[in-house]
Amino acid sequence: MKRGSSIAVFAMGLWLAPAWADESVNLPPPPAPGVTGSPESVSQPETAPALSPATVAALKKESYYHFFLEDYLTAATRLKLLEASVQHDEETLNHVRLLRGSLYVAWGMHRPATDIFDQLVSAFPPGQDRNQVLLLIERLQYSRALYQAAVSTYERLTRDPAFASMDHATYLAGMSHYALGNFENALSVMTTIPTSSGYAPFAKLTSAKSHNQLADVDKATILLKEVGNLEAPQ
């Protein structure tokens, strides 16, 4: 399996669990009121002895398990131990970075999350694999209402026509601009989505709302009529 594909599969599992059969993408909820402890309270790991593959696999599963129990402190502890023990296993390190970054985001610790995600992205050269990782991060940031961070992540994407998910990334960036009140930027981004894209109707709807926010009612009305005339997919 390609390195980027492995990260993508791991991240989709991160979002889909624990409702494994649910096709919707749901991020874990924020910590319940009264939960104490945070990832920052776990000391930085020193270099640790190499662990056996079975122990590494067990630590990954345990970190994953505690994450979805919202027992973030235990999950962070396991991840620190795992990270210190697999410095020469790049694939496992990337999985750890993705889960740690998600952990920080769940705690509202956006600056350390950004640092972790930067480490993850830097492991990939420009191209489709890195674009896929950036899209995963952008989706996570958008889902947590980190709109400016999502826009910044989008701007790091390589404009590669072969990257099949570019329209998805562009749509999230446009929605982020809209949520930030940057309606002209939202229009600028949304209009780059081709009419053949499955995201085109949603882009037109957001563009109409943006025109309305900018008091351009005529353009908003035209776009709304175009959306209303679209045929539903079979």
Side-chain angles (χ1 to χ4, degrees):
M1 180 179 290
K2 292 177 64 179
R3 179 172 61 171
S5 300
S6 175
I7 287 291
V9 170
F10 179 81
M12 285 306 296
L14 178 65
W15 281 328
L16 291 173
W20 300 101
D22 187 355
E23 294 182 355
S24 63
V25 175
N26 297 304
L27 290 171
V35 177
T36 59
S38 73
E40 288 297 344
S41 64
V42 181
S43 59
Q44 293 295 323
E46 299 178 356
T47 302
L51 301 176
S52 69
T55 302
V56 168
L59 276 174
K60 285 172 67 174
K61 291 179 181 178
E62 191 174 348
S63 301
Y64 204 43
Y65 173 75
H66 285 288
F67 183 91
F68 288 107
L69 286 182
E70 299 180 17
D71 182 4
Y72 298 126
L73 183 57
T74 303
T77 302
R78 300 298 186 272
L79 287 170
K80 292 286 188 179
L81 176 59
L82 184 60
E83 183 177 20
S85 306
V86 294
Q87 290 299 312
H88 301 295
D89 183 348
E90 185 177 358
E91 182 175 346
T92 300
L93 270 177
N94 287 338
H95 288 176
V96 169
R97 288 164 179 158
L98 181 60
L99 187 52
R100 279 188 63 203
S102 302
L103 189 63
Y104 284 126
V105 169
W107 271 100
M109 297 177 176
H110 310 317
R111 182 171 297 178
T114 298
D115 292 341
I116 293 293
F117 288 146
D118 284 345
Q119 292 176 27
L120 175 60
V121 172
S122 67
F124 297 87
Q128 291 198 50
D129 283 351
R130 189 167 78 167
N131 276 359
Q132 185 63 39
V133 172
L134 286 167
L135 174 58
L136 294 170
I137 294 170
E138 183 187 10
R139 292 174 67 182
L140 174 62
Q141 292 166 330
Y142 179 80
S143 296
R144 290 292 182 179
L146 302 174
Y147 301 122
Q148 189 58 58
V151 169
S152 298
T153 298
Y154 169 74
E155 291 173 349
R156 299 176 66 181
L157 285 164
T158 303
R159 299 307 187 264
D160 182 357
F163 180 51
S165 299
M166 181 59 77
D167 293 346
H168 186 180
T170 301
Y171 176 72
L172 291 179
M175 290 297 293
S176 295
H177 277 301
Y178 184 87
L180 290 168
N182 301 329
F183 305 119
E184 292 182 355
N185 289 341
L187 285 169
S188 178
V189 171
M190 289 298 191
T191 53
T192 66
I193 296 177
T195 55
S196 59
S197 170
Y199 288 92
F202 307 102
K204 280 191 176 184
L205 181 59
T206 303
S207 295
K209 293 166 62 178
S210 297
H211 280 303
N212 187 61
Q213 292 288 347
L214 294 169
D216 194 339
V217 178
D218 291 340
K219 289 185 178 179
T221 301
I222 291 172
L223 285 175
L224 286 174
K225 286 181 178 178
E226 290 180 2
V227 173
N229 291 332
L230 291 175
E231 294 184 2
Q234 300 298 320

